[in-house]
Amino acid sequence: MNIIEPHRSSRRWSLRPTRLSHRTPLAVPREPATLEEVLVTYKLYSRRRRKQNSLDENIALRDLAQVMATHPERLIDTVLQMALELCTAGSSGLSLLETLRKHVGASTPRKFSPSGVTVDRNAAQLFFHPAKRFQYFDGLGCDVVETLLVPVYLGEKTAGTIWVVSHDEEVKFDSEDVRIMNGLAKFTGCALRLIQTSQAQQRARVEGEKQIAMHKSTETKLRATQAGLETDIFARKAQLQQLSARLMNLQDEERRRLARELHDSAGQYLAGIQMNLAALMRSEPALSAAGKSRVSDSIILVDECTSEIRTMSYLLHPPLLDELGLRSAIAMYVEGFAERSGIRVELDIPDDFGRLSSDMETAVFRVIQQSLANVHRHSGSLVAYLRIIKDGEFVTIEISDRGCGIKPEILHGFHSSTKLAGVGIAGMRERIESMNGDFDIRSGEGGTTIEIRLPLRIAEQFSTM
Ligand SMILES: Nc1ncnc2c1ncn2[C@@H]1O[C@H](COP(=O)(O)OP(=O)(O)OP(=O)(O)O)[C@@H](O)[C@H]1O
Ligand SMILES: [Mg+2]
């Protein structure tokens, strides 16, 4: 059983009682008294009860209430001090069954001590010269004439005892002291409850602070990881953009080469065949009727073949683009497109449009080609509008149709960059963004509009890179 440091009365006892301990008594060993010999509780009720001191008690209770409200941690000390004063005792103390370490002063055997007996009997007990039975009292260094103990409760459970000790043969406890001590035991119970609660709060606070610190550190780590990932994604995106821009340049080069090959070799061979066939036709008398018809058919086939090759070569890379620039190449392309598709194209491009860098002209031409191909393949529109404007800083291109519009899920995939339906739109966007331009699609029931804005200067810088 743990014992709170006893309080001593300055009025009634001048000796300095020490804390209870297991020190070996110096006295000559003697036979311990029986419990019945030292336990004199019955005397409490046979003695004449002293008069109640209501004034002192009221002052004490008021002081206690104040301490409880303002300094609950001092409540036990105050209760023990009041026990001393109200019972005119020599010393007082609190013995606890459970450990409240902050208040522990010493310990006594639970099964063999006045406190143990009081807890077992669950009522106030009075001991007369307890040292005769509990020999460890000898180590206190002062006489214990009487000790009065009352149980202290923590809720339903007994938590220990509070006690007062008389060191003076003249000072004896009576039932009035029992009444006072029972009252003070209630305050002690409250104080213990407050201490327990505040310790629990303290533990919860420490735990909470630990958790917050852990969360903060996890959050910091997550942020660092996220920042690392973002940098990684950014770098990879830039690499991909560079790669696709390079691929598109290579593709443009390859198309240009193929177009030239088709025009210069296959085209020239066909021109030669055409001339030979024409010469053969001119030697008419030497040909039979059937032979003449075959030559005539061949001339038609070679014509068609030449026209096909020219168109193919032109679609791969319009020669006008390099020679006369975007305006002429677009005008010619639009004318051919309208013829092939049956879609009327309204072209709005200023006469004095001028030239752009070669890369930029190719990029704009390809985007227009792709957009018109989409109008033809997907929109169902009978008309398309193409507008190209150039001011000091930007080239703006707008291609629109009056068709069915792009399906919302495809449009959402484009805007969120999560899903691509084909490579056409994705490729257009890549081209434009790689030249620091803006690419946007608006689409609804009234049709689709693609809007592109390219900065002239940066695009020019880019084209020289
Ligand atoms: N003008 C348009 N009107 C209606 N739907 C369109 C239009 N342009 C594009 N779309 C829709 O958007 C999709 C994606 O177009 P995109 O050009 O990227 O691919 P694609 O034309 O299907 O294939 P490709 O890779 O050969 O170009 C199309 O499949 C079509 O459903
Ligand atoms: Mg397409």
Side-chain angles (χ1 to χ4, degrees):
M1 184 167 290
N2 299 311
I3 299 173
I4 291 184
E5 194 150 355
H7 282 237
R8 296 187 302 272
S9 157
S10 53
R11 276 186 297 155
R12 300 299 305 258
W13 192 251
S14 56
L15 282 175
R16 293 169 57 84
T18 58
R19 279 186 264 167
L20 298 180
S21 76
H22 295 288
R23 265 169 36 195
T24 319
L26 296 174
V28 182
R30 54 180 154 75
E31 203 51 34
T34 64
L35 182 62
E36 289 68 33
E37 283 171 312
V38 293
L39 187 62
V40 292
T41 309
Y42 61 90
K43 286 194 179 171
L44 286 170
Y45 308 100
S46 59
R47 282 176 190 160
R48 225 181 97 231
R49 182 176 178 146
R50 70 190 157 86
K51 237 178 116 211
Q52 185 175 341
N53 185 343
S54 303
L55 183 65
D56 280 0
E57 204 173 324
N58 278 345
I59 293 170
L61 288 177
R62 192 199 59 204
D63 289 353
L64 264 179
Q66 203 170 1
V67 170
M68 195 159 170
T70 54
H71 298 97
E73 73 286 355
R74 287 194 212 147
L75 197 53
I76 287 180
D77 282 345
T78 314
V79 165
L80 295 179
Q81 188 61 39
M82 276 166 191
L84 274 185
E85 286 168 15
L86 294 174
C87 298
T88 35
S91 55
S92 64
L94 166 68
S95 302
L96 291 174
L97 283 171
E98 288 179 40
T99 309
L100 284 171
R101 293 224 168 266
K102 192 170 160 240
H103 294 270
V104 169
S107 64
T108 61
R110 155 76 178 83
K111 290 282 175 204
F112 192 73
S113 65
S115 274
V117 173
T118 309
V119 168
D120 288 343
R121 300 193 172 204
N122 201 21
Q125 303 296 323
L126 182 68
F127 290 84
F128 184 65
H129 284 289
K132 286 183 183 162
R133 176 165 173 76
F134 307 106
Q135 290 181 352
Y136 60 83
F137 273 59
D138 289 340
L140 294 179
C142 61
D143 274 350
V144 173
V145 176
E146 273 194 355
T147 177
L148 169 65
L149 303 96
V150 297
V152 171
Y153 301 99
L154 198 54
E156 297 291 297
K157 287 189 185 153
T158 313
T161 58
I162 57 166
W163 40 263
V164 278
V165 170
S166 146
H167 302 283
D168 186 341
E169 293 292 347
E170 297 301 310
V171 177
K172 300 279 169 53
F173 300 117
D174 59 26
S175 56
E176 174 60 7
D177 295 307
V178 175
R179 189 189 64 77
I180 292 169
M181 287 296 278
N182 275 332
L184 292 176
K186 286 199 178 112
F187 271 98
T188 310
C190 285
L192 291 177
R193 167 76 26 112
L194 285 173
I195 289 166
Q196 261 190 350
T197 311
S198 104
Q199 281 177 345
Q201 278 172 350
Q202 177 80 4
R203 276 196 300 273
R205 198 167 45 242
V206 169
E207 189 54 35
E209 280 164 6
K210 238 198 278 178
Q211 293 282 342
I212 290 171
M214 255 167 60
H215 283 314
K216 276 194 180 153
S217 122
T218 314
E219 200 182 314
T220 313
K221 280 186 199 148
L222 277 176
R223 281 210 181 141
T225 314
Q226 192 186 357
L229 281 175
E230 275 168 10
T231 316
D232 224 29
I233 289 171
F234 194 73
R236 271 159 207 245
K237 194 178 165 200
Q239 278 174 358
L240 269 177
Q241 272 178 342
Q242 275 177 10
L243 194 66
S244 58
R246 173 118 186 83
L247 273 175
M248 275 181 284
N249 282 344
L250 286 174
Q251 196 187 42
D252 288 340
E253 274 308 308
E254 188 61 11
R255 285 178 171 183
R256 194 183 262 126
R257 196 184 61 77
L258 273 175
R260 212 171 28 236
E261 292 273 301
L262 277 176
H263 179 266
D264 293 353
S265 59
Q268 299 316 308
Y269 291 137
L270 282 172
I273 295 171
Q274 213 169 20
M275 278 190 277
N276 286 345
L277 287 173
L280 205 58
M281 266 310 252
R282 279 199 298 276
S283 62
E284 194 184 335
L287 286 175
S288 65
K292 229 193 282 175
S293 156
R294 290 241 167 91
V295 173
S296 162
D297 282 353
S298 299
I299 289 175
I300 295 170
L301 284 175
V302 170
D303 271 354
E304 275 174 12
C305 202
T306 307
S307 154
E308 281 285 309
I309 284 200
R310 197 178 297 125
T311 310
M312 213 187 284
S313 154
Y314 172 81
L315 289 178
L316 279 168
H317 187 82
L320 283 184
L321 192 57
D322 295 338
E323 289 157 27
L324 298 177
L326 196 59
R327 188 175 180 283
S328 307
I330 294 284
M332 198 172 160
Y333 176 77
V334 160
E335 201 184 307
F337 172 80
E339 221 170 82
R340 287 191 298 276
S341 66
I343 296 172
R344 181 168 56 88
V345 182
E346 289 191 14
L347 176 62
D348 181 1
I349 177 166
D351 293 341
D352 59 347
F353 186 77
R355 300 289 308 246
L356 304 171
S357 70
S358 156
D359 282 343
M360 200 165 176
E361 286 187 333
T362 308
V364 173
F365 184 82
R366 293 291 176 220
V367 166
I368 290 171
Q369 216 177 7
Q370 283 283 345
S371 304
L372 288 177
N374 275 354
V375 173
H376 179 227
R377 280 177 65 191
H378 308 298
S379 76
S381 175
L382 293 175
V383 62
Y385 303 90
L386 173 55
R387 196 154 71 103
I388 310 178
I389 310 164
K390 187 169 82 164
D391 60 23
E393 287 179 73
F394 296 99
V395 186
T396 309
I397 304 125
E398 214 178 82
I399 309 129
S400 42
D401 62 55
R402 297 285 175 269
C404 58
I406 301 178
K407 286 185 195 129
E409 63 273 20
I410 294 178
L411 201 61
H412 178 260
F414 163 77
H415 284 304
S416 59
S417 301
T418 50
K419 204 172 148 205
L420 306 171
V423 293
I425 291 177
M428 286 190 253
R429 179 160 65 177
E430 274 308 309
R431 265 184 198 280
I432 300 306
E433 286 182 356
S434 73
M435 299 177 113
N436 281 339
D438 297 324
F439 180 91
D440 192 28
I441 302 182
R442 295 190 301 277
S443 193
E445 282 175 7
T448 303
T449 298
I450 288 183
E451 194 178 320
I452 294 151
R453 211 161 79 116
L454 273 172
L456 284 169
R457 198 162 307 154
I458 294 173
E460 274 156 22
Q461 276 170 12
F462 176 86
S463 71
T464 59
M465 273 163 62

Coordinates of all heavy atoms in Angstrom, one line a residue, residues 52 77 225 299 326-327 449:
Q52 N -19.4 19.8 17.8 CA -19.1 20.1 16.4 C -18.7 21.6 16.3 O -19.3 22.4 16.8 CB -20.3 19.8 15.5 CG -20.1 20.0 14.1 CD -21.3 19.6 13.3 OE1 -22.2 18.9 13.8 NE2 -21.4 20.1 12.1
D77 N -3.3 17.6 -0.7 CA -2.5 18.3 0.4 C -3.4 19.1 1.3 O -3.3 19.1 2.5 CB -1.5 19.2 -0.3 CG -0.3 18.4 -0.8 OD1 -0.2 17.2 -0.4 OD2 0.5 18.9 -1.6
T225 N 7.4 13.1 -52.2 CA 7.3 12.1 -53.3 C 6.5 12.6 -54.4 O 6.8 12.4 -55.6 CB 6.5 10.8 -52.7 OG1 7.1 10.5 -51.4 CG2 6.7 9.7 -53.6
I299 N -3.5 4.9 -123.7 CA -3.2 6.3 -123.5 C -4.2 6.8 -122.3 O -3.7 7.5 -121.4 CB -3.5 7.1 -124.8 CG1 -2.4 6.8 -125.8 CG2 -3.6 8.6 -124.5 CD1 -2.5 7.5 -127.1
L326 N 1.9 29.0 -98.2 CA 0.7 28.4 -97.6 C -0.6 28.8 -98.4 O -1.4 28.0 -98.7 CB 0.6 28.9 -96.2 CG -0.3 28.1 -95.3 CD1 0.0 26.7 -95.2 CD2 -0.3 28.7 -93.9
R327 N -0.7 30.1 -98.7 CA -1.9 30.6 -99.3 C -2.3 29.8 -100.6 O -3.4 29.3 -100.7 CB -1.9 32.1 -99.5 CG -3.2 32.7 -99.9 CD -3.2 34.2 -100.1 NE -4.5 34.6 -100.5 CZ -5.0 34.5 -101.7 NH1 -4.3 33.9 -102.7 NH2 -6.2 34.8 -102.0
T449 N -15.7 23.1 -84.2 CA -14.7 24.1 -84.6 C -13.4 23.8 -84.0 O -13.3 23.6 -82.8 CB -15.2 25.5 -84.1 OG1 -16.4 25.8 -84.7 CG2 -14.2 26.6 -84.5

